[in-house]
Amino acid sequence: MGGKQKKIQLELAFMAEMRGETPKPVHKGTELPVAERETEHPAPEYLMEEVCERGNLKKAYQRVKSNKGSPGVDGMTVSELAGYLREHWAEIKERLLKGTYVPQPVRSVEIPKPGGGRRVLKIPTVVDRFIQQALMQVLQKKWDKDFSPQSYGFRPSRSAHQAVKKAREYLTEGYAYVVDLDIEKFFDRVNHDMLMSQVAKRTDDKRVLRIIRASLVSGVMANGLVSPTAEGTPQGGPLSPLLSNLVLHELDRELTRRKHRFVRYADDCNIYVKSERAGKRVMESIAGFISHRLKLKINHAKSAVARPWERTFLGFSFTRGLKKIRIAPSSLSRFHDRIRKLTRRTKGASIEQMVEQLTRYLNGWKGYFGHCETPSTLSKLDSWIRRRLRCFLWKQWKRGARRFHELTTRGIRDDLAAHTAGSTHGPWRISRSPDLQKALSNSYFASLGLSRLEPQRGA
């Protein structure tokens, strides 16, 4: 074992390749024979060697760098990680291989939740994020194949959109009621002993067990004080999503054993049944399983048995008749609030700057919610956004003479321009006038680079 570890340490050219902020890509055929043999023939008791393998480390570094994120308790930023690793990686690796590495406490940060309230993120240091990412990549490759097909969160080649489409399949099969389960403060209340027992069933590498346990109990720093952590997984670390899937795999197995139709994305779990009575029976039974077996609690205020179109799942809902995927009302409400902030007059921005900011937000939003099956909703949002921009420009032009000039410059006849410019109506009503819509046409906003939400024909 000792000779093998020496070969592994001699093999690590990782530090040399990390000169500069971004590691150079590894080309096929450049790995040393020892690294190739370990990748091809991993022994279960040598998981930590796989974690410290050069290709795995480079992939972890790139992922941490691309994710960016805030500093941990030590204040180190992502941009400083490469330099720190060049200087200290040899000793960090030695401690990982010996099983003596101890993670630092996580930093507690509160962020607003989309539906109101606050969510507490627990941010590991950049170095610990790098190590957790490397560990997660190895463990996920080994564990993921055993997870349920109905589990879609934080898994390779799976997405929230696939989860919503699966839910729609159940609706079309006649399962017209949903048991919508909300696990109360899931990430904060995971039982450490139960979690570690699940980990121990999947690996006998004591070093991996120690570092996962140490990450769970590393403590939380808030206001300069470190508090111990007796339960929960740090929501903010790369390893936490995989561990959450491991905990809830027990729930998946139980639901499968009972032959339920269900979809789970992280701690969001929906079970589809054919009647309200069946739904209430399932709710009571599964709540008992979660409480006694998983040592977790159902939030009864947020859980319900209802029609699927009355509930929100991953930001989406469903139409009543045709059972199409639509954007949930709460998601639309947050969208409207965001657009209002981006197009308010007091921003002091030019129309070009405003459109640039809008487009960045719209492209991200469209990437997620553009998967809805109700294009008319997207078309209405496009029209509303353009109306907001016309209103903004009308206010910006202020006086009648400026408004008359802008309208005539954009091809409006003098008499029509004079009538519109002299109107006593407010900006919001004027924004719908034919003359202003012609002067500030859809093609005008397209020329500024404004992104559209509605899919274009032929696209």
Side-chain angles (χ1 to χ4, degrees), residues 90-222:
E91 60 181 280
I92 293 173
K93 181 186 175 183
E94 183 179 3
R95 282 185 281 153
L96 287 171
L97 293 175
K98 287 182 177 179
T100 59
Y101 183 84
V102 179
Q104 295 190 63
V106 296
R107 184 168 68 94
S108 178
V109 177
E110 286 191 359
I111 61 171
K113 294 174 69 173
R118 310 287 290 180
R119 173 181 285 115
V120 178
L121 292 183
K122 296 172 182 176
I123 313 231
T125 65
V126 175
V127 174
D128 286 338
R129 293 209 295 272
F130 167 68
I131 293 169
Q132 283 191 31
Q133 180 66 33
L135 181 59
M136 186 277 292
Q137 289 167 181
V138 171
L139 296 181
Q140 186 170 62
K141 184 171 59 177
K142 295 179 178 297
W143 297 352
D144 189 77
K145 60 182 180 293
D146 296 326
F147 290 158
S148 169
Q150 277 68 50
S151 166
Y152 291 88
F154 309 121
R155 298 183 61 191
S157 303
R158 288 176 168 260
S159 68
H161 302 122
Q162 292 173 339
V164 175
K165 287 179 180 177
K166 187 63 179 179
R168 196 263 313 276
E169 283 183 27
Y170 292 141
L171 300 188
T172 57
E173 291 171 5
Y175 296 87
Y177 285 85
V178 61
V179 181
D180 188 354
L181 296 172
D182 184 276
I183 301 177
E184 189 173 281
K185 297 182 178 179
F186 169 73
F187 285 94
D188 295 330
R189 293 184 175 170
V190 168
N191 184 283
H192 287 174
D193 291 334
M194 293 195 64
L195 171 56
M196 290 308 302
S197 71
Q198 292 298 320
V199 176
K201 289 177 183 177
R202 288 164 172 80
T203 178
D204 56 0
D205 190 325
K206 298 292 191 291
R207 299 163 300 178
V208 171
L209 295 173
R210 286 193 201 103
I211 195 169
I212 292 177
R213 170 72 79 169
S215 298
L216 294 173
V217 300
S218 61
V220 179
M221 178 175 284

Side-chain angles (χ1 to χ4, degrees), residues 23-35:
K24 297 177 183 178
V26 175
H27 300 290
K28 187 175 181 180
T30 61
E31 292 286 352
L32 291 181
V34 173

Side-chain angles (χ1 to χ4, degrees), residues 5-54:
Q5 285 190 355
K6 286 182 180 179
K7 287 183 180 180
I8 294 165
Q9 291 176 353
L10 289 173
E11 177 271 329
L12 189 63
F14 174 75
M15 305 316 303
E17 298 232 9
M18 284 197 66
R19 299 189 189 282
E21 286 202 354
T22 307
K24 297 177 183 178
V26 175
H27 300 290
K28 187 175 181 180
T30 61
E31 292 286 352
L32 291 181
V34 173
E36 289 179 351
R37 286 198 298 272
E38 287 190 354
T39 303
E40 292 171 4
H41 306 287
E45 63 268 27
Y46 299 138
L47 272 183
M48 192 58 77
E49 278 75 13
E50 285 192 67
V51 172
C52 295
E53 193 268 329
R54 183 174 64 187

Side-chain angles (χ1 to χ4, degrees), residues 389-399 403-404 407 417 420-423 425-428 430-431 436 440:
L389 292 174
R390 291 184 184 108
C391 188
F392 167 81
L393 283 170
W394 190 252
K395 290 177 181 177
Q396 197 177 59
W397 295 342
K398 292 184 180 179
R399 301 183 182 280
R403 290 169 174 173
F404 176 81
L407 290 172
T420 302
S423 174
H425 294 307
W428 186 244
I430 288 292
S431 65
L436 191 58
L440 301 175

Side-chain angles (χ1 to χ4, degrees), residues 215-233:
S215 298
L216 294 173
V217 300
S218 61
V220 179
M221 178 175 284
N223 301 319
L225 299 175
V226 177
S227 304
T229 46
E231 59 182 2
T233 61

Side-chain angles (χ1 to χ4, degrees), residues 3 46-47 67 79-80 158 163 169 220 287 372 396 416 433 450:
Y46 299 138
L47 272 183
N67 286 344
S79 62
E80 298 171 309
R158 288 176 168 260
E169 283 183 27
V220 179
C372 74
Q396 197 177 59
L416 297 176
S433 70
L450 180 66

Side-chain angles (χ1 to χ4, degrees), residues 20 37 43 55 78 117 130 132 141 150 160 166 243 246 251-252 255 302 313 321 323 338 360 387 408 431 444:
R37 286 198 298 272
V78 172
F130 167 68
Q132 283 191 31
K141 184 171 59 177
Q150 277 68 50
K166 187 63 179 179
L243 295 180
L246 190 58
L251 174 61
D252 296 342
L255 293 173
K302 294 183 178 180
F313 183 48
K323 301 179 178 64
R338 180 65 172 162
R360 281 200 299 268
R387 189 177 176 189
T408 54
S431 65
Y444 165 72

